Amino acid sequence: MTLLRPNRRTALALISSASLPTLGRAQAPKKVAALFAGRIDDRGFMQAGYDGLKLAEARLGVSVAFRQGVQPKPEELTAALRELAAAGPDLVIAHGGQNNAAAKAVAAEFPAVRFAVTQGNVTGTNLASYEVLQEQSAFLAGMLAALTTRTGVVGHMSGIRVTPGLKGRAAYAAGVAHADPKVILLTNFSGNQDDNALSEKVARAMIAKDAQVIFTMLNAGRDGVTAACRERGVMQIGNVGDWTAIAPDVFIASAFADSGRALFDAVADFTAGKFATGEIKRLGLETPEAVRLIMAPSVPSEIRGRIEAAARAIAAGTLDVPVEWAGSEFPTPA
């Protein structure tokens, strides 16, 4: 019996043909699709999420797709998520708690796809929530507002009533009361995160009622408040990013809460085989690169010290941050 030995060219061809399909599968990037119920250039929550998606693309080698500008209405969010999932990605991320119900429904329709909601509170067999605890920095923002107002009145402004926004308002109110229970809080949800004409109207109405510090949990609509504050010499506290660097003449602080970190962590966990299916993964003040209060240099050292001590207590679990609030709201002007 004669054994035939393949020549070198044949052997290389056999190795190549056997190996290439396996290598191709191993090297194919994971596909991630994201939904943004707003503009990715809003210099707020949506842009932070988009930045997290682009960071995941750059650092984790995933292939990304996204939709932006979808109205935060249940039927539109559901349709958009269904369209993204039908394209066959490995992971679909819905950015923002307004997607809770839509993600829960669509995840059940596509059991082979993994879903995540940032700033969400829903779970399932293929669904997880990744939440940055912006209420913790909002509590500190409330303390700062109460300790710096000269009129004894402070404001809070937001748009749509999603769970993270409601929790942030509750925490801010608690921070105000913790620092000085005599300070009056004016709080408003206008129904729109991006309307500058509307937000400026609300801000002017609050300023007319002596609000001397206003905490804004808005997206593109923050500029209207900034214009009113600048004209009237009123201080503002921002959220999500560092607004003290963007408009230092108006912003005394920013309740930093990088929602993009939640999106990035969801992708990182997924690519590492550690996706938190059926869980809610949370990041707070113990992770200062994700959550912290950024204060302007003008904040007096005594006030800064009180707030830093509170931050340490929250991170250690010895100071609770309430996430529910009941009280009268400031009406949206006609």
Side-chain angles (χ1 to χ4, degrees):
M1 183 177 186
T2 304
L3 294 176
L4 296 177
R5 298 180 181 274
N7 60 34
R8 185 171 182 272
R9 180 179 299 176
T10 304
L12 288 174
L14 290 170
I15 293 171
S16 178
S17 63
S19 303
L20 279 176
T22 302
L23 290 173
R25 284 194 298 272
Q27 293 175 351
K30 297 292 185 182
K31 297 178 182 179
V32 178
L35 174 63
F36 301 101
R39 290 164 31 195
I40 60 171
D41 61 350
D42 66 1
R43 297 192 300 171
F45 182 79
M46 297 300 163
Q47 184 168 336
Y50 177 71
D51 289 345
L53 180 68
K54 296 302 288 183
L55 185 64
E57 180 183 38
R59 291 192 180 177
L60 304 174
V62 295
S63 171
V64 304
F66 68 91
R67 279 196 61 184
Q68 66 166 321
V70 177
Q71 291 297 310
K73 299 177 180 178
E75 64 277 9
E76 294 190 31
L77 296 173
T78 300
L81 283 174
R82 188 177 289 123
E83 180 181 326
L84 288 174
D90 300 294
L91 173 66
V92 174
I93 301 177
H95 188 56
Q98 60 267 53
N99 296 285
N100 278 332
K104 187 83 172 176
V106 178
E109 297 174 15
F110 294 87
V113 179
R114 294 292 182 266
F115 288 79
V117 180
T118 60
Q119 301 308 95
N121 59 5
V122 288
T123 61
T125 56
N126 60 332
L127 171 64
S129 289
Y130 283 72
E131 183 181 14
V132 171
L133 299 177
Q134 63 178 346
E135 61 265 26
Q136 293 188 349
S137 57
F139 181 95
L140 301 178
M143 287 187 63
L144 178 62
L147 293 170
T148 54
T149 179
R150 296 188 299 272
T151 61
V153 181
V154 300
H156 157 270
M157 291 176 55
S158 191
I160 58 177
R161 294 175 182 274
V162 295
T163 298
L166 292 168
K167 289 166 66 176
R169 189 263 300 275
Y172 177 74
V176 170
H178 180 78
D180 187 346
K182 297 187 298 296
V183 170
I184 296 169
L185 170 65
L186 308 178
T187 171
N188 173 270
F189 280 83
S190 66
N192 195 306
Q193 296 286 126
D194 304 309
D195 187 333
N196 279 303
L198 175 60
S199 66
E200 183 172 353
K201 185 184 293 187
V202 175
R204 289 185 181 280
M206 284 190 175
I207 293 169
K209 294 295 184 181
D210 292 330
Q212 217 266 320
V213 185
I214 299 177
F215 175 43
T216 50
M217 298 185 72
L218 295 167
N219 294 337
R222 197 185 316 266
D223 290 345
V225 186
T226 302
C229 288
R230 181 176 285 122
E231 180 184 313
R232 300 300 301 275
V234 168
M235 295 177 290
Q236 190 177 170
I237 300 174
N239 79 324
V240 180
D242 181 6
W243 287 88
T244 67
I246 296 171
D249 62 318
V250 173
F251 286 87
I252 191 175
S254 206
F256 185 84
D258 185 5
S259 59
R261 174 65 185 264
L263 193 150
F264 178 85
D265 277 11
V267 180
D269 283 356
F270 179 76
T271 57
K274 300 186 298 182
F275 188 67
T277 302
E279 300 178 16
I280 301 175
K281 184 174 179 179
R282 298 181 172 93
L283 291 170
L285 287 168
E286 74 286 349
T287 311
E289 62 268 26
V291 180
R292 64 188 186 277
L293 182 70
I294 300 171
M295 291 177 277
S298 60
V299 174
S301 58
E302 179 183 351
I303 293 176
R304 186 183 297 270
R306 285 188 62 179
I307 290 170
E308 290 173 347
R312 290 192 295 270
I314 293 170
T318 58
L319 176 59
D320 291 331
V321 175
V323 292
E324 294 183 359
W325 179 85
S328 299
E329 294 191 350
F330 188 80
T332 301

